[in-house]
Amino acid sequence: MGKIKSCFVCQECGYESPKWAGKCPNCNSWNSMVEEFKSQQSYSAGSNLSKIKVNNMPQSIMNIKSIAYDRMNTGINELNRVLGGGIVKGSLTLISGDPGIGKSTLLLQAANNISKQYGKVLYISGEESEEQIKLRGDRLEALSKELFILSETNVEIIEKHIIDTEPIFVIIDSIQTLYNDTITSAPGSVSQVRESSNAIMRIGKSKDIPFFIVAHVTKQGALAGPKVLEHMVDTVLSFEGERTEEFRILRTIKNRFGTTSEIGVFEMRETGLQEVSNPSAVFLEDTEFNREGSIVIGIMEGTRPILVEVQALVSETKAVMPRRTAVGVDTSRLNLILAVLEKKLKIPFYNCDVYVNVVGGLNIEGTLGDLGIALALVSSIKSCETKLEKLLVVGEIGLTGEVRPVTFCDRIVNEGSKMGFKNFIVPSRNKDKINLNNVNIVGVSSLKEVINKVF
């Protein structure tokens, strides 16, 4: 039998040290070192290689047969979109989000739909009792006979129930509440999360059962626990949104069976999460066009074009360091656009506070919204509206002041045409590829040209 070794493990990053320290040397977290015990097995290289039985052999990749993944329909189109078409059998999916954002609600709705189509679904909760889940099920009308609820935190007991029940889909809510008796540390520690995840992965892969695992987040919004948890699972989903707002966005961070560029949009209602099949209509529902500091832009989220409103407010200040506040826009990208406007158009922003907000709570990634943000800033500082009514703007801004072409511009313009927009500002090199009638498409190549045509 191996010796029992004691070591101190950081609960934030998983760093191991033979001695306790008040501050983790790796991640600089204070009071995160916790003592844990592990068995240290002696090993001498090559001593037991002759006794090892090998059941498989390396083979050429040309001889390995390609397989098509068998997917399960969750009954929620937005969730299927994010997952790449549905849940792959035997896969592990990790979903995280702020408390109260709607993770358990979404999973209970999906579990109810799957149980009606395929058979037994097991919902395991370590945070709520069976009665609490039943109350949520009554509210969501998720009352399928094939949906089984279990309140348990011991991994070995959970494995026994899975073997006895033989479900086709399992939900773990949450991984931070599970524990293994062989580990001395408390539930939620790095060792417990790692061992519990290993046990779940072994069960899922050996029995071809897909698992959905709920994970907590830190105050900064990052996934709590060791980073190895994200490496072990097949898919990582992030549920975003403000608890005070009604819209929720499900985003893919990692996906071994599909793209990571798709998003799902939901609306929180009393009866649960409702799908938003046309996000553009929702984000522009209360928009009043031709307002000072307001521009509608088009972006791409995966294969879906989405139209959103960008609002800018520029006000003169006496402060030495003017404020730069951006919600839904990368602050470094905003500073770049401000620098280009000051250099190329001679518009002074150095003595002004600048605020930029994306209506609806969506985070803009990439450069598709550069030109729209610039026009919103110019509109606000000049206190004037655009001359073109129902205007949609698409384009990237370069450091020399040119308007650069963007990908999928034709799809965004087609979406804008369906939504009733009549005027479009696009890069000149994208204009030739767009064939639409009864709309005014203006191609531009520089910021100066845009300002002259819009204001």
Side-chain angles (χ1 to χ4, degrees):
M1 180 178 178
K3 297 179 180 179
I4 302 299
K5 180 184 176 182
S6 171
C7 66
F8 293 87
V9 181
C10 175
Q11 302 305 298
E12 296 293 333
C13 65
Y15 177 82
E16 295 185 5
S17 172
K19 296 182 179 180
W20 181 85
K23 182 180 180 181
C24 175
N26 186 45
C27 66
N28 298 325
S29 299
W30 288 93
N31 299 323
S32 61
M33 305 296 289
V34 176
E35 185 177 15
E36 296 183 5
F37 298 91
K38 59 173 65 176
S39 176
Q40 186 180 22
Q41 299 287 346
S42 60
Y43 173 76
S44 57
S47 59
N48 297 318
L49 291 181
S50 59
K51 300 178 182 179
I52 297 177
K53 293 183 179 180
V54 179
N55 296 323
N56 59 342
M57 296 294 293
Q59 53 181 319
S60 170
I61 192 171
M62 299 297 295
N63 298 331
I64 301 175
K65 294 181 179 180
S66 300
I67 60 172
Y69 292 112
D70 190 9
R71 296 181 181 268
M72 297 169 55
N73 180 17
T74 65
I76 303 175
N77 294 329
E78 292 295 298
L79 180 57
N80 290 337
R81 173 193 293 272
V82 173
L83 292 172
I87 302 175
V88 177
K89 291 188 176 181
S91 64
L92 268 71
T93 302
L94 191 70
I95 181 170
S96 65
D98 293 333
I101 202 70
K103 303 183 297 296
S104 300
T105 299
L106 177 65
L107 294 183
L108 189 59
Q109 290 180 239
N112 180 62
N113 295 336
I114 292 173
S115 64
K116 291 180 179 179
Q117 297 181 69
Y118 300 98
K120 289 182 181 180
V121 173
L122 184 58
Y123 188 110
I124 303 171
S125 176
E127 301 177 347
E128 299 176 291
S129 64
E130 290 92 343
E131 291 77 14
Q132 289 176 306
I133 301 174
K134 176 61 164 60
L135 288 174
R136 186 190 298 119
D138 291 335
R139 178 170 58 86
L140 303 177
E141 296 183 357
L143 302 173
S144 172
K145 293 182 179 179
E146 296 297 319
L147 177 57
F148 293 82
I149 308 298
L150 173 66
S151 181
E152 183 56 61
T153 56
N154 190 308
V155 175
E156 294 180 353
I157 297 176
I158 289 174
E159 182 175 2
K160 186 178 185 306
H161 282 299
I162 292 175
I163 295 173
D164 295 339
T165 308
E166 297 182 351
I168 51 93
F169 178 51
V170 179
I171 295 173
I172 304 291
D173 187 6
S174 66
I175 189 65
Q176 275 79 12
T177 62
L178 302 190
Y179 72 94
N180 193 321
D181 287 331
T182 60
I183 307 297
T184 58
S185 57
S189 63
V190 172
S191 298
Q192 288 286 9
V193 171
R194 182 170 56 238
E195 292 301 323
S196 299
S197 302
N198 274 323
I200 292 172
M201 182 174 67
R202 175 177 51 81
I203 298 169
K205 300 298 183 183
S206 62
K207 298 186 177 299
D208 203 26
I209 301 174
F211 276 78
F212 250 86
I213 305 172
V214 178
H216 296 168
V217 294
T218 62
K219 293 180 180 179
Q220 292 76 27
L223 194 66
K227 198 70 175 178
V228 69
L229 183 60
E230 296 182 57
H231 292 285
M232 291 171 57
V233 299
D234 299 307
T235 307
V236 180
L237 305 180
S238 177
F239 215 17
E240 304 171 356
E242 297 293 334
R243 283 177 291 177
T244 57
E245 300 289 338
E246 58 185 1
F247 295 113
R248 306 284 191 271
I249 296 173
L250 186 64
R251 193 181 300 274
T252 314
I253 300 175
K254 170 188 175 182
N255 193 353
R256 289 175 178 163
F257 310 111
T259 179
T260 59
S261 57
E262 296 286 0
I263 67 167
V265 184
F266 298 89
E267 181 181 0
M268 179 61 80
R269 297 181 182 176
E270 186 178 352
T271 56
L273 288 164
Q274 300 294 326
E275 301 177 66
V276 178
S277 57
N278 188 0
S280 299
V282 174
F283 291 137
L284 299 177
E285 185 176 5
D286 298 325
T287 299
E288 296 180 10
F289 301 101
N290 283 26
R291 288 190 301 178
E292 174 188 321
S294 173
I295 296 291
V296 178
I297 65 173
I299 60 174
M300 289 294 296
E301 290 289 352
T303 58
R304 170 191 287 176
I306 297 179
L307 312 183
V308 293
E309 178 188 1
V310 174
Q311 296 179 344
L313 176 62
V314 181
S315 60
E316 189 174 350
T317 180
K318 303 297 181 182
V320 179
M321 294 290 292
R323 300 188 64 178
R324 300 288 186 264
T325 304
V327 179
V329 179
D330 185 17
T331 305
S332 60
R333 196 71 195 172
L334 172 61
N335 291 330
L336 185 148
I337 295 172
L338 290 173
V340 174
L341 291 175
E342 287 188 344
K343 180 70 174 179
K344 300 301 177 181
L345 300 183
K346 309 301 179 183
I347 300 176
F349 288 95
Y350 60 86
N351 60 344
C352 297
D353 289 335
V354 176
Y355 305 90
V356 175
N357 176 50
V358 179
V359 178
L362 191 67
N363 291 321
I364 297 178
E365 297 180 356
T367 58
L368 288 172
D370 285 1
L371 188 56
I373 295 172
L375 292 181
L377 292 168
V378 174
S379 173
S380 180
I381 198 171
K382 291 181 174 294
S383 300
C384 62
E385 303 173 354
T386 59
K387 294 187 297 185
L388 302 176
E389 296 184 352
K390 290 203 170 183
L391 175 66
L392 178 64
V393 180
V394 184
E396 176 186 348
I397 295 177
L399 293 179
T400 59
E402 82 276 18
V403 178
R404 300 178 59 82
V406 296
T407 57
F408 305 113
C409 185
D410 53 340
R411 295 189 187 181
I412 296 173
V413 172
N414 287 330
E415 179 72 12
S417 177
K418 295 177 184 178
M419 296 296 298
F421 287 87
K422 299 299 182 183
N423 296 288
F424 299 86
I425 300 292
V426 300
S428 297
R429 288 168 58 184
N430 287 123
K431 180 182 177 181
D432 300 334
K433 301 178 182 179
I434 301 173
N435 297 317
L436 278 179
N437 298 323
N438 301 323
V439 294
N440 178 30
I441 301 176
V442 180
V444 294
S445 57
S446 67
L447 271 175
K448 290 183 180 180
E449 184 180 356
V450 177
I451 300 302
N452 293 332
K453 292 184 177 181
V454 174
F455 299 104

